[in-house]
Amino acid sequence: MSACSGRRRPGLRLALLALVILSFLVLRRLDWYHLIPPWLRHRQAGLQAKGQNFVLEDSTFWIFGGSIHYFRVPREYWRDRLLKLKACGLNTLTTYVPWNLHEPERGKFDFSGNLDLEAFILLAAEIGLWVILRPGPYICSEIDLGGLPSWLLQDPDMKLRTTYKGFTEAVDLYFDHLMSRVVPLQYKLGGPIIAVQVENEYGSYHKDPAYMPYVKKALEDRGIVELLLTSDNKEGLSKGTVSGVLATINLQSQQELQLLTSFLLHAQGVQPKMVMEYWTGWFDSWGDPHHILDSSEVLKTVSAIIDAGFSINLYMFHGGTNFGFINGALHYDEYKSDITSYDYDAVLSEAGDYTAKYFKLRDFFSSLSGAPLPPPPGLLLKTAYEPVMPTFYVSLWDALKYVGEPIMAENPVNMENLPVNEGNGQAFGYTLYETTITSSGVLSGRVRDRGQVFVNTVSIGFLDYKNEEIVVPLIQGYTVLRILVENRGRVNYGENIDAQHKGLIGNLYLNGSALKKFRMYSLDMKEKFFQRFSLDNWDSVPNEPTFPAFFLGVLMAGPSPLDTFLKLEGWEKGVVFINGQNLGRYWNIGPQKTLYLPGVWLKKGINQVIVFEENMAGPVIQSMEIPNLGRQQYID
């Protein structure tokens, strides 16, 4: 058994491969693809399922894969992470494709910068990795709404992940664009993509039996010719299969392996077996501990999977970070949103450092390869910068005059239906709702996910899933009632993904009477949001700031900035921005105590640091060489 069996790719062939792929991409963009001779377009055979084996070009092939999500890793570090995957003895990269990030507004696509999927796939090919693409449209991935764009929810009748016309029409337009980019990167066209997944864990959802055949046809009709796969956990394997598509499984324990092996045999007979997701750790939620999985347990389970004749993909090999507001959530008995770090206790840490799992797995895969593995790349250095002391400040209330005119409406409007972003609504961030009241009493309403309530500028508490009522104290005359609502992350897995509208949902009531005449501010905190602030808008930090507020400071870096981790001790809850880059949320309830700051996002000298803090500011922002992801708990 060899990790390299069936791979006939010396260095010269790799160089020619990259040249051919790049030529295809250029020709496609110039609409000359049809001019390429058929003999140049096609290899003889792609990855195939023959009996119990995968076969690539007539040779038995074992998939030893690892998941890295390009959208969770700074582009400048893609090569480092992929080289470390290769040096671990793996031969295949797997990645999801997040629809919500690539089509943030209907019909407007973004595949630039950190979202350059084609560049990521070509880099994998250059390094000598095959690619399994997982394009969705739904991907789960602990990302907001499972990777589906929030503007889909503007349709009051929307039925996500079904053959509902409003959904399939949107998928068709997205796939038209996405597949035009990835089809030329398939194996049979000279590229590294050897397989493509059909949706993701649909058996756990299974709202429409016609849906998976629709997705399969949508891929094939747009030129996907490689092996198609499904991927399901033990809850959905019996319902997630589709005719003509190879089923694979997701699991974490040897006990699940034994159970799902019999399920696979029953579902599809003698076919190649693959664990598409072997969970090397787990994600974390705010208020919970940091989950870890012992490295010896990981090695034993991986060994058992291979011994049972399975190919394998390590999910995650490298988790990365939920930069910005992209994290998802779960909502069963209780709503819980995911933290900013997507470290996942993976084989590589959030910052790409080696772990005990890495070296144990490298030794294991080395024993299977039959040839020496490439040396692991050196570690990227970390540093602790001088503490950042915010010197300027502006309260949210003073900042409102810079963020644009409010939206006026008789009744509150949820985020997705706000008339912003050229009619696409608001996807991420905060929305501020204002109205005028003349009496005290009980305020009630559905807030998603967390609304801080103010009388004028004085905070009186919160409305959320647990607290749907709050007492407004006795007031005199006309008073401004304000609710600052945060989208903490739309549910990414489960039955209720259609009900993921954020903001105020329906009417807001005072003593049972619906309040009217609202002013609403969309506070998405994108880069252009801060461009409206000039230096003249900021004041010196007072002894007693008014919250919520923005704080401005400077981080000084040397000529070659290094990675670091920011610790906001004394701060309570908010978001950090470095040179316009949203590092993500912090919250003193943990588990994570530090935010990862990639050195490639810093520049020599002065770096702008902006903190949006909801409740309480600390004196400084500290910088550390090592992360602190909080109190640990072993996964059961």
Side-chain angles (χ1 to χ4, degrees):
M1 184 181 353
S2 169
C4 300
S5 62
R7 294 166 54 216
R8 307 166 181 168
R9 300 186 298 167
L12 178 60
R13 183 179 173 185
L14 279 176
L16 292 173
L17 175 77
L19 179 62
V20 169
I21 296 171
L22 286 170
S23 300
F24 278 3
L25 289 172
V26 171
L27 289 171
R28 175 174 57 78
R29 286 173 174 162
L30 295 177
D31 199 27
W32 292 347
Y33 178 75
H34 64 284
L35 299 178
I36 299 174
W39 61 267
L40 184 59
R41 295 183 199 174
H42 298 283
R43 295 177 181 176
Q44 289 298 312
L47 184 69
Q48 300 173 69
K50 288 191 176 181
Q52 63 182 1
N53 297 319
F54 286 113
V55 173
L56 187 65
E57 292 295 332
D58 298 324
S59 296
T60 300
F61 182 75
W62 289 84
I63 299 169
F64 296 151
S67 290
I68 302 176
H69 301 153
Y70 57 100
F71 50 94
R72 285 186 162 119
V73 182
R75 180 171 181 160
E76 295 86 346
Y77 291 157
W78 287 352
R79 180 179 294 274
D80 173 77
R81 309 312 195 243
L82 292 176
L83 286 171
K84 289 172 178 173
L85 187 149
K86 177 80 171 177
C88 194
L90 304 181
N91 60 20
T92 302
L93 164 72
T94 71
T95 187
Y96 282 131
V97 182
W99 181 7
N100 57 347
L101 303 186
H102 285 299
E103 193 180 0
E105 297 179 10
R106 190 184 293 265
K108 292 188 176 181
F109 299 96
D110 184 2
F111 284 80
S112 64
N114 232 81
L115 295 175
D116 193 338
L117 171 62
E118 293 155 290
F120 186 62
I121 293 173
L122 288 170
L123 180 58
E126 176 190 331
I127 288 170
L129 295 166
W130 301 114
V131 175
I132 295 177
L133 195 68
R134 310 176 78 186
Y138 163 88
I139 61 173
C140 185
S141 185
E142 288 74 58
I143 192 173
D144 187 276
L145 202 59
L148 301 176
S150 60
W151 46 258
L152 289 168
L153 299 176
Q154 292 181 331
D155 180 348
D157 299 318
M158 178 55 66
K159 296 178 180 61
L160 301 174
R161 302 181 74 189
T162 71
T163 52
Y164 172 69
K165 183 178 180 182
F167 183 66
T168 57
E169 286 180 345
V171 172
D172 287 342
L173 291 174
Y174 168 57
F175 271 13
D176 285 345
H177 187 94
L178 174 62
M179 296 309 152
S180 71
R181 292 176 176 273
V182 300
V183 159
L185 301 179
Q186 294 180 101
Y187 177 91
K188 292 174 184 174
L189 298 178
I193 297 176
I194 57 173
V196 175
Q197 185 172 302
V198 181
E199 233 260 1
N200 190 61
E201 294 185 330
Y202 194 71
S204 301
Y205 190 69
H206 197 63
K207 291 291 184 70
D208 182 349
Y211 175 67
M212 287 293 279
Y214 153 74
V215 178
K216 176 193 175 188
K217 187 173 187 299
L219 293 169
E220 293 175 334
D221 287 351
R222 288 163 179 80
I224 295 298
V225 295
E226 304 302 338
L227 181 70
L228 295 179
L229 310 166
T230 60
S231 173
D232 282 285
N233 59 31
K234 61 183 178 183
E235 297 174 350
L237 182 58
S238 61
K239 297 180 180 178
T241 58
V242 59
S243 177
V245 178
L246 184 72
T248 69
I249 57 177
N250 303 336
L251 53 82
Q252 189 163 63
S253 70
Q254 294 184 50
Q255 292 75 17
E256 291 173 291
L257 177 65
Q258 295 170 1
L259 174 66
L260 291 177
T261 298
S262 61
F263 276 1
L264 273 179
L265 184 62
H266 176 74
Q268 61 187 13
V270 177
Q271 293 278 356
K273 296 176 295 186
M274 180 171 181
V275 175
M276 177 59 75
E277 293 185 13
Y278 166 63
W279 301 316
T280 61
W282 202 246
F283 59 91
D284 298 332
S285 302
W286 289 112
D288 286 351
H290 171 50
H291 296 95
I292 59 173
L293 186 61
D294 185 77
S295 59
S296 296
E297 182 68 25
V298 169
L299 179 61
K300 284 192 290 186
T301 305
V302 170
S303 178
I305 289 170
I306 302 301
D307 288 345
F310 280 76
S311 284
I312 190 172
N313 176 59
L314 305 176
Y315 188 101
M316 298 290 297
F317 179 80
H318 170 53
T321 309
N322 289 316
F323 292 117
F325 298 118
I326 69 171
N327 64 275
L330 291 179
H331 192 174
Y332 293 106
D333 296 332
E334 180 182 359
Y335 171 86
K336 289 190 174 185
S337 60
D338 300 331
I339 65 172
T340 298
S341 171
Y342 199 63
D343 176 87
Y344 208 86
D345 195 39
V347 183
L348 291 182
S349 75
E350 179 180 12
D353 293 331
Y354 298 116
T355 68
K357 292 175 184 177
Y358 183 92
F359 293 109
K360 289 181 179 180
L361 289 172
R362 173 178 157 83
D363 288 344
F364 173 74
F365 285 114
S366 176
S367 70
L368 303 179
S369 69
L373 298 180
L379 289 177
L380 298 176
L381 297 177
K382 313 294 187 293
T383 194
Y385 297 100
E386 289 297 315
V388 176
M389 181 174 293
T391 52
F392 296 101
Y393 140 100
V394 59
S395 75
L396 174 62
W397 318 120
D398 290 334
L400 291 178
K401 53 180 168 286
Y402 310 125
V403 302
E405 292 297 316
I407 299 156
M408 313 296 288
E410 186 72 6
N411 299 305
V413 180
N414 61 52
M415 285 187 180
E416 294 77 10
N417 286 296
L418 288 172
V420 296
N421 297 318
E422 298 189 19
N424 290 278
Q426 181 179 341
F428 304 116
Y430 297 76
T431 301
L432 178 66
Y433 296 83
E434 293 184 347
T435 189
T436 302
I437 59 174
T438 58
S439 64
S440 60
V442 177
L443 183 71
S444 61
R446 292 176 62 210
V447 173
R448 300 293 182 264
D449 297 303
R450 187 174 190 262
Q452 190 170 6
V453 183
F454 301 85
V455 173
N456 294 324
T457 60
V458 178
S459 176
I460 63 170
F462 295 89
L463 291 173
D464 55 27
Y465 292 90
K466 294 182 178 179
N467 304 303
E468 295 189 347
E469 292 184 351
I470 190 171
V471 176
V472 177
L474 183 64
I475 54 178
Q476 292 183 344
Y478 290 91
T479 299
V480 178
L481 178 73
R482 294 176 162 126
I483 304 182
L484 179 65
V485 183
E486 176 194 15
N487 167 13
R488 286 176 49 202
R490 296 181 182 86
V491 163
N492 56 266
Y493 182 85
E495 297 292 316
N496 59 344
I497 61 171
D498 292 336
Q500 291 304 306
H501 298 86
K502 299 300 183 182
L504 288 183
I505 312 301
N507 285 323
L508 191 66
Y509 298 91
L510 183 62
N511 297 323
S513 297
L515 296 174
K516 301 292 183 181
K517 299 187 183 305
F518 281 83
R519 299 177 298 278
M520 293 163 285
Y521 295 86
S522 175
L523 309 176
D524 56 16
M525 299 191 191
K526 297 177 183 176
E527 189 171 357
K528 63 182 179 182
F529 175 90
F530 293 103
Q531 292 172 353
R532 301 169 183 149
F533 291 54
S534 70
L535 287 177
D536 296 337
N537 303 146
W538 297 83
D539 296 319
S540 298
V541 178
N543 291 330
E544 296 186 6
T546 299
F547 293 97
F550 299 91
F551 293 82
L552 174 63
V554 168
L555 184 151
M556 297 298 298
S560 300
L562 303 176
D563 288 3
T564 192
F565 302 90
L566 300 183
K567 183 179 181 181
L568 288 96
E569 190 168 0
W571 304 73
E572 185 171 316
K573 186 177 186 300
V575 193
V576 179
F577 303 84
I578 303 287
N579 298 329
Q581 295 272 9
N582 187 336
L583 295 188
R585 314 168 203 259
Y586 63 90
W587 197 354
N588 64 358
I589 68 171
Q592 78 176 99
K593 304 295 184 183
T594 56
L595 287 176
Y596 174 49
L597 170 53
V600 291
W601 288 355
L602 295 172
K603 54 190 177 183
K604 176 183 177 181
I606 294 175
N607 293 271
Q608 182 194 72
V609 181
I610 294 178
V611 179
F612 176 68
E613 166 60 48
E614 297 179 25
N615 298 302
M616 180 176 67
V620 297
I621 303 161
Q622 300 173 45
S623 174
M624 306 174 65
E625 292 185 41
I626 57 175
N628 182 349
L629 295 178
R631 176 176 61 89
Q632 296 181 348
Q633 176 177 299
Y634 281 97
I635 299 169
D636 184 359

